């Protein structure tokens, strides 16, 4: 089995909570608007706050 196929299998099996955190982290690292300069995720830009909210929902496992 090639390395590409193994990587693809691992990528598909990513835990939703970890995926949500990774998306927020990648955004916060690259965000020039506000996310780089704040200490709390809730104080970042709108997109960053939405990604953080998605992470929190994934972490607690519900949509309420």
């Amino acid at each position: 089995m090639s390395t590409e196929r193994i990587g693809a299998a691992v990528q598909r099996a990513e835990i939703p909570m970890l995926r949500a955190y990774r998306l927020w982290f990648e955004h916060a690292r690259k965000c020039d608007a506000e996310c780089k300069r704040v200490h709390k995720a809730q104080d970042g830009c709108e997109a960053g706050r939405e990604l953080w909210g998605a992470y929190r929902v994934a972490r607690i496992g519900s949509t309420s």
Side-chain angles (χ1 to χ4, degrees):
M1 185 178 275
S2 72
T3 307
E4 291 174 18
R5 291 178 62 184
I6 292 171
V10 170
Q11 198 171 28
R12 277 182 271 162
E14 188 174 22
I15 298 169
M17 180 188 75
L18 296 177
R19 180 181 185 278
Y21 185 82
R22 179 180 54 77
L23 291 173
W24 169 80
F25 185 81
E26 289 173 358
H27 165 79
R29 191 168 44 105
K30 297 175 185 174
C31 179
D32 290 327
E34 299 173 35
C35 294
K36 280 186 177 180
R37 297 184 293 273
V38 297
H39 295 287
K40 295 165 93 178
Q42 297 91 335
D43 297 336
C45 71
E46 184 175 349
R49 290 191 306 266
E50 288 176 8
L51 288 168
W52 185 253
Y55 163 69
R56 291 189 60 186
V57 167
R59 188 184 72 198
I60 60 174
S62 69
T63 57
S64 59

